[in-house]
């Protein structure tokens, strides 16, 4: 239990651990403090936004398996390898849908998921132990889309978003 707690604190940037030397605190309570209700509001907003994404994004990739151009699929793959134009994987998917309503929806959800408070913490999606899993999940989605398999794309996207929700719920339980 203690080892797991130290791992979480280390990955979040609260402590730094050195083998043979111990763990050292990198931030104090003033850096972890928030304005009244800010953390609770962020947690609720994030989870609402993620729930909406779980409902819609899998259906979007299912449709894209049939409608995306080869160029759009290449752009999606490039977003994974760093060859892309710096676009986020999910943004490439939303843009490939060619639907301005979905673009506005995604902008709003992305705003709800943006962390307003503890800027010094490393969010789960940027933590080493999680980022490798996310990269593999994105690759699975991309491969299903390239194979034009809408059902697998749907499944992989749903699995990915549920994973994201789960790791953030754990993060919120510890830090919020």
């Amino acid at each position: 239990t203690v080892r797991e707690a130290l791992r979480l604190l280390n990955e979040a940037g609260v402590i730094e651990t050195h083998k043979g030397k111990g763990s050292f605190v990198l931030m104090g309570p003033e850096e972890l403090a928030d304005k009244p209700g800010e953390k609770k509001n962020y947690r609720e907003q994030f989870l609402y936004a993620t729930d909406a994404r779980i409902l819609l994004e899998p259906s979007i990739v299912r449709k894209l398996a049939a409608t995306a151009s080869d160029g759009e699929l290449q752009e999606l793959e490039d977003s994974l390898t760093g060859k892309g134009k710096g676009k986020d994987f999910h943004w490439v998917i939303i843009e490939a849908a060619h639907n301005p309503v979905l673009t506005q929806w995604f902008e709003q959800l992305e705003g709800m998921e943006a962390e307003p408070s503890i800027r010094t913490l490393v969010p789960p999606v940027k933590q080493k132990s999680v980022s490798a899993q996310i990269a593999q999940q994105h690759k699975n989605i991309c491969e299903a889309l390239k194979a034009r398999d809408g059902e697998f794309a749907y499944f992989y996207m749903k699995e990915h978003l549920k994973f994201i929700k789960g790791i953030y719920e754990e993060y919120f339980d510890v830090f919020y």
Side-chain angles (χ1 to χ4, degrees), residues 17-51:
T17 303
H18 300 281
K19 276 193 172 181
K21 294 183 182 180
S23 298
F24 303 91
V25 178
L26 298 176
M27 63 181 72
E30 64 281 349
E31 293 169 296
L32 294 171
D34 72 328
K35 296 173 187 154
E38 186 177 42
K39 289 180 186 175
K40 181 180 181 227
N41 290 339
Y42 170 61
R43 178 185 181 132
E44 287 176 357
Q45 278 188 257
F46 185 94
L47 294 174
Y48 285 141
T50 305
D51 282 342

Side-chain angles (χ1 to χ4, degrees), residues 151-166:
E151 293 310 309
F152 271 113
Y154 179 95
F155 168 78
Y156 286 135
M157 180 61 82
K158 193 158 203 141
E159 177 184 61
H160 166 62
L161 293 170
K162 285 183 173 184
F163 172 78
I164 295 293
K165 183 178 180 185

